Amino acid sequence: MISTQLLVIVMVMVIKGLSGMKELRVDGRGTFNAEGRLALPAFYDMHLHPENAFTLGLTGENSSSTLKEAVTKWSKVRDSMSVEEIKDRMKKALLLELYHGVTHVRIHVDMCSKDIRSVKAAVLLKEEMKEIMDIQTVAFPEQSLFKCGNDLLYASQFTDLVGGKPDAEDDVEMSIKHLSLVTSVAKKLEKSMDIHIDQDARRTRFAEYLLSIAENHVTLSHMSSLHYEDDDYVKKIYQMIRNKKASVVSSPLTAVYLAAEKGYPKGRGITRIREMMKEEINVCLGNDDLQNVFYPFGAGDILLSMFMAINLEQSFTADDWIPLVTSNAEKEFSLINVPSKDFVILDASSFREQMSTMAPRFMVIRNGKILAKTNRESRLIVNGSSLNPYLLMKSLTD
C-alpha cells in the first residue's frame, strides 16, 4: 500500500504542473528513488477492440489493408471462440494496457458475435477486473445492424453505451435507418452513444445526420473523412459538435493502416485532431486494435497512438497532447461513471523526453497500490565504457 504522503505528493505534482519527484516512499515496502521522473494521471484508452487482439494467426494477413477485408476475415473466425476464450483474450490485451499506464478503457464489442458472446465476455471481464481497471463497454455491429443476426436493443441492455457503424451498411438509405435505430435504442435505454462514423475517404457525412437527431450524449469515433472535406463544411460540423457537447475519439494507428487508397497522394487516415483541439472540441485517443487483421502491430501502449498523431498532425509541443489521454478522456469517461484517481510515473523527466525515448512506464499506481513497474537496466558498451543510452537522450532533451 502506498503511503498517504506519497499520494499527496503525486496529487500536488499533477496540480502544480507535473514537476519532477525525487523519492517514492512506500509503506512496508522500502523506498523507491524516482530521480525526478514525471508523474501524470493514469492514462485512458477511449477506443479499443480487445476481443480480437492477437488473432492475426487465425485470420491471416490483411492483403489490401482495408476495413472491408478486415471485417470479412474477422467475421469468419469470430464465432469459433467461446465466451471464456474471448474473455481471456480481452484480459491479456487489457493487462498489457495496464502495464503501459492505462487504468481506464472503453471497449467496443462486436454484438454480431454468436449468442452475443463478445458482449457477455466483456460484461464478465468488467466485473473481474474492476479492482485494477475502470472499463466501459459498447455494443456495436461490426458487419451491419441489418445483417447482424442479433438485436441492438437486447445487446445494449448489458453494456454501458450503445454503439453503431453506419458505414457498414450497403447504401446511404440503410445507413440513415441504422442511425435512426441506434438513437432510438439509446433514448429508450437512456444511455450515451459511441458511434464508428465517417471513417474512410468517402464523404459520407453521417456525423452531420447523427448530430442533428441525437437526443442523448454522443461520441464520434474516427471521423476520418473530415480530412477530405472543405473547410466551410468542417466549420459547420465543429459547431454542431460543440452544440451537442459531443466528444471525438481518434485511433491513429489503425486509421492510418486502414486508409488504403489507390495511387497518390494518399490521405492520412485520421481526423483533424490538431484543428479540433484549437476549436476546443473534446478530443481523445484510442489504440483501437492490437495485432489483428485491423492492425497487425501494437503493444497496448496508448502513447504509440499519440506518437503517430503528433507526427501526422505535425504538432510537436508534446505537453499539449497529454489531455487527450488524461483530462479530455476523463471528461468523456465521467459522463458514464466516475473513474478512480490513478497515477502513472514515467521513466522520463519531461513528456518530450518520454515521447523521444518511448521508455516503458516506471510505475503505475491505482488506489494506493503499485500495479506495474519496470526495473530495467540498459547499457551501451563502447571502448570499454558502459553508458546508459537513456541518459544520453536525457542530456539532449533537457
Side-chain angles (χ1 to χ4, degrees), residues 43-275:
F43 301 142
Y44 290 73
D45 183 343
M46 293 303 294
H47 192 110
L48 184 67
H49 298 264
E51 69 190 288
N52 48 32
F54 317 113
T55 56
L56 202 57
L58 299 176
T59 62
E61 298 284 346
N62 187 338
S63 59
S64 64
S65 298
T66 60
L67 179 60
K68 182 179 180 180
E69 181 178 343
V71 171
T72 299
K73 288 188 170 180
W74 163 242
S75 64
K76 289 180 179 179
V77 305
R78 176 190 60 209
D79 296 336
S80 65
M81 292 182 283
S82 67
V83 171
E84 194 63 28
E85 287 172 330
I86 297 170
K87 182 169 74 69
D88 288 346
R89 194 173 295 277
M90 288 180 172
K91 187 172 183 178
K92 289 178 182 178
L94 294 185
L95 288 175
L96 275 178
E97 295 251 333
L98 178 64
Y99 171 71
H100 290 295
V102 170
T103 62
H104 323 85
V105 62
R106 179 176 291 177
I107 63 176
H108 292 253
V109 288
D110 190 353
M111 56 158 279
C112 297
S113 60
K114 185 177 181 180
D115 302 323
I116 62 167
R117 290 175 185 173
S118 296
V119 174
K120 293 174 181 177
V123 172
L124 291 172
L125 185 65
K126 176 179 177 177
E127 176 64 22
E128 183 177 317
M129 295 187 68
K130 66 182 181 181
E131 297 301 320
I132 61 174
M133 181 174 280
D134 295 323
I135 298 174
Q136 292 179 351
T137 56
V138 187
F140 95 109
E142 181 73 84
Q143 290 174 281
S144 156
L145 263 183
F146 306 110
K147 300 174 185 177
C148 188
N150 293 319
D151 181 67
L152 179 65
L153 176 61
Y154 174 67
S156 298
Q157 292 180 65
F158 303 102
T159 58
D160 299 298
L161 297 95
V162 181
K165 185 185 173 186
D167 300 273
E169 306 302 345
D170 290 335
D171 54 52
V172 173
E173 181 180 356
M174 293 304 292
S175 296
I176 295 300
K177 289 181 179 179
H178 178 122
L179 289 174
S180 297
L181 178 58
V182 169
T183 53
S184 66
V185 167
K187 183 177 180 180
K188 183 177 182 65
L189 296 177
E190 298 182 338
K191 292 184 177 183
S192 296
M193 296 169 283
D194 191 327
I195 313 296
H196 291 57
I197 201 160
D198 295 345
Q199 60 182 115
D200 58 25
R202 294 178 298 156
R203 298 183 181 184
T204 49
R205 299 188 173 184
F206 294 134
E208 179 181 2
Y209 178 73
L210 174 61
L211 290 166
S212 70
I213 66 171
E215 296 184 45
N216 298 43
H217 176 74
V218 61
T219 303
L220 305 164
S221 284
H222 301 309
M223 292 195 75
S224 307
S225 67
L226 280 192
H227 252 301
Y228 304 89
E229 296 283 5
D230 63 82
D231 289 344
D232 288 339
Y233 178 76
V234 171
K235 288 178 181 177
K236 172 185 174 182
I237 295 300
Y238 287 168
Q239 189 59 51
M240 294 182 74
I241 293 173
R242 283 192 294 263
N243 290 344
K244 288 288 186 177
K245 297 181 180 178
S247 295
V248 175
V249 179
S250 181
S251 301
L253 295 173
T254 297
V256 169
Y257 176 70
L258 295 179
E261 300 171 53
K262 294 180 180 179
Y264 292 87
K266 292 182 180 293
R268 297 179 176 183
I270 60 173
T271 194
R272 302 187 182 200
I273 301 176
R274 179 174 61 170
E275 195 171 87

